[in-house]
């Protein structure tokens, strides 16, 4: 007689957790042992946004714009990891913290007025659509922008995958 195959249940474990400050909020990124990732928000020490629409959140890194000279090139990425990758390479970068399916609105984007705005989408369909929405929102505010095309980008690649310099 044969016994049934043994089913192993591997618990989903957090491999890393990174906390990004976005204004008064914390965006918590978790990477798991099954190669997935997840995001949650914390505000005032408790989970969730407490009714604040994700589209109204500030841009990640926006605080640095107050000390950036008008006319400076500012790169807008999708997310904190891509923003940080460009910042350490010498660029002025900010990131949308809404996720690809939403788009920042109004006040968060008005901070880009007076800068040379370049949008750097993730290299996938969701990333392209996300930055198209950002470009449309900027156009409504009469803030010109350019769209960066990185022909050699890996599928789903973003600014964090870029190995070049700010030169």
């Amino acid at each position: 007689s044969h016994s049934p195959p043994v089913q192993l249940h591997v618990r989903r474990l957090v491999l890393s957790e990174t906390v990004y400050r976005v204004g008064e909020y914390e965006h918590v990124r978790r990477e798991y042992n099954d190669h997935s990732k997840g995001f949650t928000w914390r505000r005032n020490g408790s989970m969730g946004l407490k009714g604040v629409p994700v589209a109204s959140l500030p841009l990640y890194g926006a605080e640095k714009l107050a000390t950036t000279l008008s006319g400076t090139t500012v790169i807008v990425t999708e997310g904190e990891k891509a923003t940080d990758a460009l910042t350490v390479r010498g660029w002025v970068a900010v990131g949308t913290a809404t996720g690809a399916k939403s788009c920042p609105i109004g006040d968060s984007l008005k901070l880009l007025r007076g800068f040379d705005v370049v949008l750097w989408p993730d290299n996938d369909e969701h990333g392209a659509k996300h930055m198209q929405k950002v470009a449309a929102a900027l156009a409504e505010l009469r803030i010109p922008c350019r769209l960066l095309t990185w022909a050699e980008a890996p599928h789903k690649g973003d600014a964090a995958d870029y190995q070049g310099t700010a030169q």
Side-chain angles (χ1 to χ4, degrees), residues 34-51:
D34 63 0
H35 305 287
S36 66
K37 63 183 177 183
F39 296 90
T40 56
W41 286 97
R42 281 195 302 237
R43 183 178 185 201
N44 300 326
S46 60
M47 298 307 284
L49 292 173
K50 309 296 181 242

Side-chain angles (χ1 to χ4, degrees), residues 53 58 70 90 137 159 165:
S70 181
T165 66

Side-chain angles (χ1 to χ4, degrees), residues 3-77:
S3 41
V6 176
Q7 294 272 329
L8 293 178
H9 295 282
V10 178
R11 282 191 18 199
R12 188 172 172 215
L13 301 173
V14 176
L15 297 179
S16 67
E17 180 177 284
T18 308
V19 178
Y20 300 99
R21 299 265 330 142
V22 181
E24 64 183 277
Y25 308 92
E26 293 180 332
H27 200 193
V28 182
R29 174 192 172 108
R30 292 187 180 100
E31 297 193 27
Y32 298 95
N33 61 335
D34 63 0
H35 305 287
S36 66
K37 63 183 177 183
F39 296 90
T40 56
W41 286 97
R42 281 195 302 237
R43 183 178 185 201
N44 300 326
S46 60
M47 298 307 284
L49 292 173
K50 309 296 181 242
V52 175
V54 72
S56 69
L57 292 173
L59 296 171
Y60 173 68
E63 65 282 350
K64 70 184 100 175
L65 297 179
T67 57
T68 302
L69 290 175
S70 181
T72 299
T73 298
V74 175
I75 301 174
V76 180
T77 71

Side-chain angles (χ1 to χ4, degrees), residues 17 33 56 101 124 126 128 130 147:
E17 180 177 284
N33 61 335
S56 69
K101 294 186 178 164
D124 58 22
H126 293 298
H130 177 66
L147 188 66

